[in-house]
Amino acid sequence: MDTAVLTGGPAMELLSEGLGAPHLRADFDGHSGTIAQARDAADAFLTKLAGTEPPAGERSHDDVLLVVSELVTNAVRHAPGPLTLCLAFAEGRVQVTVRDSDPAPPRPRQADLNSGGGGFGWSIVERIADRLSVHPMPDGKEVHAFLPW
């Protein structure tokens, strides 16, 4: 089984062969740098994936990175504490899962164009993802987004 442990940050494991592969799981503390680290981990996963499963669309890679960025940003801003990012590939789709500590589901907010307060993320994810679901957990929630690859 080809397993790589990504270094230079939180605990991350990238499986490129074997049962349940390709798959990435990365645990983050939710503090400064988490969003960039999650994006870098997702980029490494997608680059490895493209070597065996080339994306069908020219925007596929960037769309997955955008969804990862938005979901992790939401978790950092609205759910204090650690979070987990998982990426998996199956049947022509990349599944992005973010697990955080807040049981409340994401909800659209009025976009704030003046003060930079956000409000764009959830609607972007809704537009890009083929399928989107939120699963309550005893200690938070999981958000699952499925994107074409």
Side-chain angles (χ1 to χ4, degrees), residues 29-47:
D29 61 12
H31 292 97
S32 177
T34 292
I35 299 161
Q37 291 171 342
R39 190 175 169 87
D40 289 347
D43 187 50
F45 170 82
L46 295 172
T47 299

Side-chain angles (χ1 to χ4, degrees), residues 81-98:
L83 63 102
T84 299
L85 168 68
C86 293
L87 298 173
F89 175 76
E91 299 175 5
R93 300 260 178 284
V94 172
Q95 178 180 354
V96 177
T97 300
V98 175

Side-chain angles (χ1 to χ4, degrees), residues 5-6 40-41 43 53 56 64 70 74 80 87 100 102 104 109 120 127 129-131 139 145:
V5 176
L6 306 176
D40 289 347
D43 187 50
E53 296 286 341
V64 173
E70 293 299 335
N74 285 349
L87 298 173
D100 66 38
D102 184 2
R109 293 186 302 129
F120 299 96
R127 258 186 242 122
D130 279 0
R131 193 169 84 215
D139 58 348

Side-chain angles (χ1 to χ4, degrees), residues 15-73:
L15 250 53
S16 59
E17 295 178 13
L19 187 61
H23 175 87
L24 169 78
R25 178 192 165 107
D27 296 309
F28 300 95
D29 61 12
H31 292 97
S32 177
T34 292
I35 299 161
Q37 291 171 342
R39 190 175 169 87
D40 289 347
D43 187 50
F45 170 82
L46 295 172
T47 299
K48 184 115 176 135
L49 176 62
T52 57
E53 296 286 341
E58 63 183 49
R59 294 181 41 110
S60 299
H61 186 103
D62 291 341
D63 284 351
V64 173
L65 289 181
L66 180 57
V67 168
V68 166
S69 294
E70 293 299 335
L71 292 180
V72 171
T73 297

